[in-house]
């Protein structure tokens, strides 16, 4: 249903005939016509012919009469293509009766593991967890909607030497008191108290080190205390996820501890494959192409010199289990950009070991940082990390106040519901509408604005369409004839039929700012249409056609925002 695909399919055979080899027509939107192809220019040198002559011959051979009202050669050899109103209206009409809005289900569904969020047990989630959680959840939602089997993996930090300190502090407090303190969600206070005792009390520090040994040795009492820490932390994490409105659940928690039994076999297999080398007492793999700043080969430490295992061993065990036992063919790791080198090396070693062989592949879905208004890492007034719950509650509070101010008729419950949808939506959209590979500045005034490329602008566009149907007291007839006589109708139609292409591209590159940008262009096109093309005051059959355009716009906005994890309130 996408026009670029339709035009590409019509031009490709003609270009292939003229060139003697397959040629990509390179069809894209143009300001001089609806679409333009410049493939003739690239062919000129290869064929030794003027590009205008090539373009003219392609036009003679291409079957465009039922798609284009005008097709002509322009400039040095561009093909300018103007889509026929009837063809465009036909595509819109087809979308109107398609519950998937022109987005097909994947022909070959994959099992995809999305590894995201990954907070640490006994530590509160801070603003640094926001991007991984929001981007990862959007990836899971999108790929699931396309028909893939998506396995969410929340890789909790629940193992290692700090847990000796935490368990010993829990034992000192007593289980009942510790459970009450942890259930209040004040994990930072608990962690800081344990750290302070560890640093100041050598006897406590020694008991903590012995706790680590007991934990790793499977001591039943120590394991029970450890599970209490994990369970209380997981309850807290779930309150954050519920507030953030993401799809992670309890069954998606996969702590580092869950891979303990797999670490030994990973090392044994790497050794059997003759990939392990000793380096300063540690067991390492030197992946090809990995060198440090000094030009020397860079090792991936699989087992440390003291016999312990690091992150690399856990990550390798996870890949081995995910591609083997789970049968996953696409592994997504939604982790900050500073970890790029680590994951490149892990993927390279997994490939050497045969655990990451085609069609299986792993992708580091990296992202930048969230900055404050001063352009530096976002910090609290006290200079510490901004707690994620505090950030979300502030967004909801600000949005609720704006909702009451803008629409005093909203009842208390509805204002709270709108405030949550708009506040959380604003936080998510501010993140997803920016190129994930770049840092961005958290700007409250901008992200909550009803003007510009923001979630509230898109949510308001959706609610405004709903008000049209509430005033009319009717629903659109999806099978009604569509006519596109006005320029604003055509412009809106072009945006609508582009939804499928954008979704397909984002499913591949996971650059959600392209989907956000598309939704903004759609909302802006609808705003122009709404201003210039009366809907309810139009005569039939124009009124019916415009109602179809309104309804289809609302459906695309709702679905697109849902893929980003953003709600669409009916009233604002």
């Amino acid at each position: 249903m996408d026009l670029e695909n339709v035009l590409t399919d019509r031009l490709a055979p003609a270009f292939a005939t003229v060139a003697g080899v397959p040629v990509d027509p390179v069809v894209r939107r143009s300001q001089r016509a609806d679409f333009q192809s410049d493939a003739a220019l690239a062919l000129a040198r290869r064929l030794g012919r003027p590009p205008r002559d090539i373009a003219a011959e392609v036009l003679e051979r291409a079957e465009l009469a039922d798609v284009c009202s005008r097709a002509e050669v322009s400039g040095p050899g561009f093909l300018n293509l103007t889509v026929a109103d009837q063809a465009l209206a036909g595509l819109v009409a087809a979308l109107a009766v398609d519950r998937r809005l022109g987005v097909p289900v994947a022909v070959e569904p994959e099992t995809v593991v999305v590894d995201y969020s990954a907070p640490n047990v006994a530590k509160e989630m801070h603003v640094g967890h926001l991007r991984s959680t929001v981007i990862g959840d959007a990836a899971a939602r999108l790929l699931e909607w396309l028909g893939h089997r998506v396995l969410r993996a929340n890789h909790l930090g629940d193992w290692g030497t700090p847990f000796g300190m935490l368990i010993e502090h829990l034992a000192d407090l007593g289980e009942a008191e510790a459970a009450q303190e942890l259930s209040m969600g004040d994990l930072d206070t608990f962690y800081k108290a344990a750290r302070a005792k560890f640093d100041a009390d050598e006897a406590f520090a020694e008991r903590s080190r012995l706790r680590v040994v007991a934990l790793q040795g499977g001591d039943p009492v120590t394991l029970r205390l450890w599970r209490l820490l994990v369970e209380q932390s997981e309850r807290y994490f779930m309150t954050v996820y519920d507030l953030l409105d993401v799809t992670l659940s309890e069954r998606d928690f996969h702590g580092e501890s869950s891979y303990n039994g797999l670490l030994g076999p990973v090392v044994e297999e790497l050794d059997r494959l003759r990939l392990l080398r000793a380096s300063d007492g540690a067991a390492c793999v030197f992946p090809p192409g990995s060198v440090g700043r000094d030009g020397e080969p860079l090792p991936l430490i699989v087992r440390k010199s003291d016999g312990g295992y690091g992150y690399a061993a856990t990550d390798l065990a996870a890949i081995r289990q995910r591609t083997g036992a789970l049968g996953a063919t696409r592994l997504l790791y939604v982790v900050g950009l500073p970890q790029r080198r680590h994951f490149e090396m892990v993927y390279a070693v997994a490939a050497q070991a045969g655990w990451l062989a085609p069609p299986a592949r792993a992708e580091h879905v990296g992202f930048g940082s969230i900055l404050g208004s001063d352009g530096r890492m976002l910090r609290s007034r006290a200079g510490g990390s901004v707690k994620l719950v505090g950030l979300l509650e502030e967004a909801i509070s600000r949005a609720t106040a704006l909702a009451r101010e803008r629409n005093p008729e909203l009842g208390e419950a509805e204002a709270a519901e709108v405030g949550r949808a708009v506040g959380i939506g604003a936080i998510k959209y501010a993140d997803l509408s920016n190129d994930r590979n770049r840092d961005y500045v958290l700007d409250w005034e901008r992200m909550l604005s009803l003007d510009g490329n923001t979630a509230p602008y898109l949510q308001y566009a959706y609610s405004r369409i709903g008000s049209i149907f509430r005033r009319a007291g009717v629903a659109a007839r999806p099978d009604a004839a569509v006519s596109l006589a006005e320029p604003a109708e055509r412009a809106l139609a072009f945006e609508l039929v582009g939804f499928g292409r954008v979704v397909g591209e984002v499913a591949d590159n996971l650059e959600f700012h392209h989907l956000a940008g598309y939704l903004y262009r759609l909302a802006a096109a609808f705003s122009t249409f709404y201003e210039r093309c009366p809907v309810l005051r139009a005569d039939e059959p124009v009124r019916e056609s415009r109602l179809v355009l309104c309804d289809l716009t609302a459906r695309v906005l709702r679905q697109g925002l849902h893929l980003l994890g953003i709600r669409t309130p009916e009233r604002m």
Side-chain angles (χ1 to χ4, degrees):
M1 291 184 181
D2 179 76
L3 273 168
E4 289 183 40
N5 288 336
V6 171
L7 292 171
T8 296
D9 290 345
R10 297 300 180 89
L11 289 174
F15 269 109
T17 300
V18 172
V21 293
V23 175
D24 181 358
V26 195
V27 176
R28 57 172 63 93
R29 291 300 303 273
S30 169
Q31 294 181 339
R32 300 184 179 277
D34 292 331
F35 292 93
Q36 188 176 80
S37 166
D38 61 2
L41 279 71
L43 279 176
R45 178 173 297 180
R46 185 198 303 175
L47 299 182
R49 296 176 56 188
R52 285 185 62 90
D53 291 355
I54 296 171
E57 186 177 349
V58 167
L59 272 189
E60 289 178 7
R61 296 178 179 276
E63 297 181 5
L64 297 170
D66 61 330
V67 180
C68 295
S69 59
R70 186 166 69 250
E72 58 189 7
V73 178
S74 172
F78 297 112
L79 284 178
N80 285 349
L81 309 167
T82 300
V83 177
D85 289 347
Q86 186 176 358
L88 180 57
L91 290 176
V92 172
L95 281 183
V97 296
D98 180 5
R99 65 181 183 84
R100 291 193 56 84
L101 301 166
V103 181
V105 174
V107 176
E108 297 181 0
E110 295 188 87
T111 294
V112 184
V113 174
V114 186
D115 190 322
Y116 66 110
S117 194
N120 291 314
V121 163
K123 284 188 178 181
E124 289 190 50
M125 293 179 70
H126 54 79
V127 71
H129 292 106
L130 179 65
R131 300 210 73 181
S132 174
T133 307
V134 168
I135 295 168
D137 205 59
R141 286 170 181 261
L142 173 58
L143 295 173
E144 208 161 50
W145 189 56
L146 292 177
H148 299 289
R149 176 188 175 223
V150 174
L151 304 177
R152 293 161 175 80
N154 194 351
H155 194 101
L156 299 185
D158 70 347
W159 202 251
T161 53
F163 282 88
M165 171 187 81
L166 294 167
I167 293 168
E168 196 61 30
H169 177 54
L170 190 158
D172 285 356
L173 286 177
E175 291 183 46
E177 184 178 340
Q180 182 178 4
E181 184 175 321
L182 291 166
S183 67
M184 295 172 67
D186 193 8
L187 303 185
D188 277 0
T189 298
F190 183 90
Y191 186 91
K192 288 174 181 176
R195 170 55 69 180
K197 286 166 67 175
F198 185 87
D199 293 338
D201 185 343
E202 182 54 40
F204 177 84
E206 179 59 27
R207 294 202 309 273
S208 297
R209 285 188 278 270
L210 292 174
R211 278 287 183 188
V212 175
V213 176
L215 178 64
Q216 293 174 342
D219 173 61
V221 174
T222 303
L223 282 173
R224 178 168 54 77
L225 296 175
W226 169 76
R227 288 194 191 98
L228 177 63
L229 270 177
V230 173
E231 288 167 3
Q232 293 294 341
S233 297
E234 288 181 350
R235 287 195 186 97
Y236 158 74
F237 297 147
M238 285 309 307
T239 64
V240 180
Y241 296 141
D242 288 343
L243 188 61
L244 190 52
D245 198 16
V246 294
T247 57
L248 284 168
S249 68
E250 292 91 340
R251 65 178 176 274
D252 302 318
F253 289 123
H254 299 284
E256 292 173 30
S257 60
S258 65
Y259 297 100
N260 281 344
L262 305 177
L263 301 182
V266 161
V267 174
E268 291 170 8
E269 189 166 349
L270 291 173
D271 192 32
R272 182 175 58 78
L273 294 168
R274 299 186 178 181
L275 293 174
L276 280 187
R277 285 171 51 189
S279 178
D280 294 328
C284 306
V285 179
F286 289 81
S290 292
V291 294
R293 292 180 179 177
D294 56 2
E296 292 298 311
L298 201 61
L300 186 72
I301 301 173
V302 182
R303 187 176 59 208
K304 295 181 285 187
S305 57
D306 63 3
Y309 300 99
Y311 293 124
T314 305
D315 288 334
L316 288 170
I319 289 177
R320 184 170 177 259
Q321 189 248 2
R322 289 168 182 178
T323 58
L326 300 181
T329 53
R330 189 179 187 187
L331 309 180
L332 304 178
Y333 291 80
V334 189
V335 184
L337 286 172
Q339 297 299 315
R340 176 185 290 166
R341 169 62 69 86
H342 167 77
F343 281 110
E344 286 175 349
M345 295 175 70
V346 167
Y347 300 160
V349 172
Q352 284 182 285
W355 305 327
L356 199 57
R361 70 271 189 210
E363 303 166 45
H364 175 208
V365 185
F367 52 84
S369 300
I370 304 176
L371 308 178
S373 57
D374 58 359
R376 299 179 179 178
M377 294 286 286
L378 187 66
R379 296 287 181 185
S380 67
R381 291 179 182 176
S385 297
V386 175
K387 293 182 180 180
L388 185 52
V389 168
L391 183 74
L392 300 179
E393 288 176 343
E394 183 173 358
I396 293 171
S397 175
R398 287 172 179 258
T400 303
L402 287 173
R404 290 194 183 111
E405 178 185 329
R406 183 172 183 84
N407 192 350
E409 296 178 1
L410 290 175
E412 195 67 24
E414 190 173 10
E417 185 179 341
V418 170
R420 177 172 175 176
V422 173
I424 297 300
I427 288 281
K428 288 183 172 182
Y429 192 84
D431 195 301
L432 295 168
S433 61
N434 283 282
D435 184 339
R436 61 174 168 78
N437 293 294
R438 301 180 179 225
D439 301 339
Y440 75 91
V441 174
L442 189 114
D443 182 337
W444 287 112
E445 186 174 342
R446 181 184 174 278
M447 72 169 59
L448 288 169
S449 174
L450 283 169
D451 297 314
N453 188 12
T454 66
Y457 176 77
L458 301 181
Q459 290 168 317
Y460 180 65
Y462 174 81
S463 68
R464 185 160 63 170
I465 296 172
S467 72
I468 293 173
F469 288 100
R470 285 193 295 272
R471 290 200 311 272
V474 297
R477 283 200 311 110
D479 58 346
V482 175
S483 61
L484 305 170
E486 297 294 328
E489 292 174 313
R490 284 187 101 247
L492 178 58
F494 273 118
E495 295 298 344
L496 288 168
V497 299
F499 182 53
R501 170 178 282 268
V502 171
V503 169
E505 290 173 351
V506 174
D508 289 335
N509 59 35
L510 301 174
E511 296 190 356
F512 289 96
H513 66 289
H514 292 307
L515 176 56
Y518 163 80
L519 295 172
Y520 172 62
R521 293 193 302 274
L522 174 63
F526 176 79
S527 181
T528 301
F529 160 81
Y530 184 76
E531 291 169 3
R532 299 180 184 177
C533 302
V535 177
L536 300 182
R537 291 186 286 107
D539 295 329
E540 296 294 1
V542 173
R543 181 178 188 269
E544 201 71 66
S545 172
R546 290 178 179 171
L547 284 172
V548 170
L549 290 173
C550 290
D551 180 63
L552 188 52
T553 301
R555 289 170 58 204
V556 172
L557 284 174
R558 183 175 62 231
Q559 183 61 52
L561 287 171
H562 174 74
L563 296 177
L564 299 179
I566 296 172
R567 294 181 184 243
T568 44
E570 296 299 323
R571 295 205 304 163
M572 283 180 63

